Amino acid sequence: MIVTFLLACIFFVFESQRVLGHAYVVEEYPSPNSYHQTSPHSVIIKFNSEIDENFSLVILDINNQVITSNENTKAATLNETQKEIHMKLPLLESGKYMVKYYVISLNDGHPVEGTYYFEVSTIQKGKQGNIINNPLNNEIHFNYLDFFINTMNFIYTLGLTLTIGWVLWWRKIQSFSPELIRKYRFLGFEFQMLHMVGLISIILIKLNIFSNNGVTFTTNFIFETNFGFLWFVSLLVSFIGFIFLFKNPIFDYSWILILILCRVLNGHSMEYAPIYITNLSNIAHILAAAIWISGITFIIIFWRKERLYVREFLSVFSNYAFYSIILLVITGSLLTIFYLPSLNLFHSAWSILIFIKLLLVIIILIIGLKINRMKQKELSVLSLGKWIKLDFLFMILIMIIVSLLTNINPNG
């Protein structure tokens, strides 16, 4: 376990030094919605950071017929810096054409996709860059796939957080009754199953999306890509946890460390400098969330039948919860500052969600102070239970927001 811990730390350091950020498009040619009086010779798409060598780029006509693609003609190439795709075009006739691309951020496996139109016309229609009035650009529809992905990501995030917290609280539970301990370990197994189902689902969904978008991987992608390797490690460590968790403290804490590192190295904190601060903030954020979420879940589950033990646990939990929420506010604020360095980005979906999350955390902090005051005054159990349930409800709302945030690019 000590060797595993050291290897994890070394992997963390070396990965932190060489990764860049989420890839996003900085330049497109032909530019979106532009007119061209002659056929463009090529399509060029530039990104701010490295993308994986497995990507999809397709050019279609107005009838949705493929003109050329890197999948069937290998016409597209990735330059040496892995930041620019170049595809040669055949001679295009007059008409509208669609550029459709799907790439993968090299360090964390987040997909970047886009679709836009340009027009080739031998008739003068004005300066290049005029907007093509295409009703498809304005369509808004409910995306069932995104809903399913976010649902499974919620299950994965909830399962991971509950399992980590459940293992952390295990040392405080061992002085309770044998019946409570037995049920506690059984619930720990169920939370592990929840995490495993979410993790496997996320991996399969992403691989299916890659395949549907024309991106194919060899069996070596586990060792050739950071995100493939991290998925593999997360899956392997999760399986091992079913056998060895709750038996040895060194193993338990090593298991937690590796899973958190895999989560952090596959997340937004790897994108922004200084990466040591953003990564450490993210680790502290996950640990604080795990302590608070699993603790409040324990209270909700055992409140009715094990009230004496719950009240004993509450006296310990209230202090941990208070400092955990304070840590959540501090680390969450730090990460927001690093993720959104420009005020111009505060109108994005990511920033709106992070603002709502911050408000919910502040409300929970107030509720926690209320619960602690009621506990000290030994007020009615019924009133205390209502506030704890309200705290639990806000916790679920925050977990839903977190599952959405992990799938949204802060710069998007």
Side-chain angles (χ1 to χ4, degrees), residues 139-406:
E139 284 187 357
I140 298 175
H141 57 87
F142 182 78
N143 193 320
Y144 291 96
L145 179 59
D146 284 345
F147 176 78
F148 180 69
I149 292 172
N150 288 325
T151 300
M152 299 314 299
N153 198 43
F154 169 75
I155 292 174
Y156 162 65
T157 304
L158 183 63
L160 175 66
T161 310
L162 281 174
T163 304
I164 291 174
W166 218 246
V167 175
L168 289 174
W169 282 115
W170 168 239
R171 308 301 157 193
K172 298 289 184 181
I173 303 299
Q174 293 185 30
S175 60
F176 293 172
S177 68
E179 178 63 22
L180 189 149
I181 292 174
R182 184 192 63 80
K183 189 173 182 179
Y184 186 91
R185 294 190 63 171
F186 177 75
L187 287 170
F189 178 83
E190 290 189 328
F191 294 150
Q192 286 179 262
M193 288 295 297
L194 187 69
H195 165 246
M196 179 66 74
V197 168
L199 177 61
I200 293 175
S201 299
I202 291 297
I203 294 174
L204 293 178
I205 288 170
K206 285 184 177 290
L207 291 177
N208 184 59
I209 292 174
F210 295 161
S211 176
N212 290 339
N213 283 275
V215 179
T216 56
F217 290 101
T218 65
T219 54
N220 292 327
F221 93 99
I222 293 175
F223 304 102
E224 293 175 346
T225 61
N226 292 344
F227 59 90
F229 177 72
L230 294 171
W231 285 347
F232 174 75
V233 172
S234 295
L235 201 57
L236 178 63
V237 172
S238 299
F239 274 117
I240 295 174
F242 284 103
I243 304 173
F244 297 107
L245 274 181
F246 302 104
K247 295 179 180 178
N248 182 283
I250 297 178
F251 175 85
D252 289 353
Y253 298 140
S254 300
W255 185 89
I256 289 172
L257 173 67
I258 295 172
L259 275 190
I260 291 179
L261 286 177
C262 288
R263 173 78 174 192
V264 168
L265 293 173
N266 243 347
H268 293 309
S269 61
M270 292 301 295
E271 307 168 27
Y272 303 95
I275 53 177
Y276 293 108
I277 294 179
T278 56
N279 283 328
L280 289 174
S281 296
N282 201 8
I283 291 171
H285 199 79
I286 293 172
L287 286 171
I291 291 171
W292 167 59
I293 289 171
S294 57
I296 198 69
T297 302
F298 173 86
I299 294 170
I300 289 293
I301 292 174
F302 292 98
W303 180 257
R304 291 185 61 187
K305 295 185 177 180
E306 302 285 353
R307 193 161 294 173
L308 290 177
Y309 287 112
V310 169
R311 291 183 72 88
E312 181 181 341
F313 175 81
L314 192 57
S315 63
V316 177
F317 170 74
S318 58
N319 292 326
Y320 280 95
F322 176 76
Y323 291 114
S324 294
I325 294 173
I326 293 294
L327 189 58
L328 284 172
V329 172
I330 294 173
T331 55
S333 300
L334 273 176
L335 291 172
T336 302
I337 292 171
F338 286 118
Y339 292 175
L340 299 174
S342 172
L343 292 176
N344 295 330
L345 297 174
F346 274 88
H347 66 279
S348 65
W350 192 91
S351 60
I352 293 172
L353 286 174
I354 204 71
F355 180 72
I356 295 173
K357 179 190 171 186
L358 183 59
L359 286 179
L360 291 176
V361 171
I362 293 173
I363 292 173
I364 286 171
L365 180 60
I366 296 172
I367 292 174
L369 292 173
K370 177 72 174 179
I371 292 174
N372 192 50
R373 191 179 299 113
M374 293 177 68
K375 179 179 67 67
Q376 290 176 352
K377 292 182 178 180
E378 305 249 339
L379 296 181
S380 69
V381 172
L382 183 61
S383 299
L384 188 61
K386 289 180 180 179
W387 284 99
I388 291 174
K389 290 176 182 177
L390 186 61
D391 197 23
F392 182 79
L393 175 62
F394 279 109
M395 179 269 287
I396 294 296
L397 292 175
I398 287 178
M399 293 303 296
I400 293 173
I401 292 175
V402 170
S403 66
L404 295 172
L405 287 171
T406 54

Side-chain angles (χ1 to χ4, degrees), residues 68-120:
T68 185
S69 74
N70 67 304
E71 184 177 4
N72 53 26
T73 66
K74 305 299 181 183
T77 58
L78 186 63
N79 71 349
E80 292 182 356
T81 64
Q82 292 189 253
K83 296 181 181 181
E84 181 176 320
I85 298 174
H86 187 281
M87 173 184 274
K88 293 182 179 180
L89 289 177
L91 185 64
L92 301 178
E93 300 177 353
S94 294
K96 291 182 180 180
Y97 295 90
M98 180 173 71
V99 178
K100 184 178 181 181
Y101 57 85
Y102 190 93
V103 305
I104 300 164
S105 188
L106 182 63
N107 20 297
D108 55 18
H110 282 259
V112 180
E113 57 184 316
T115 300
Y116 70 89
Y117 297 85
F118 69 92
E119 184 171 346
V120 177

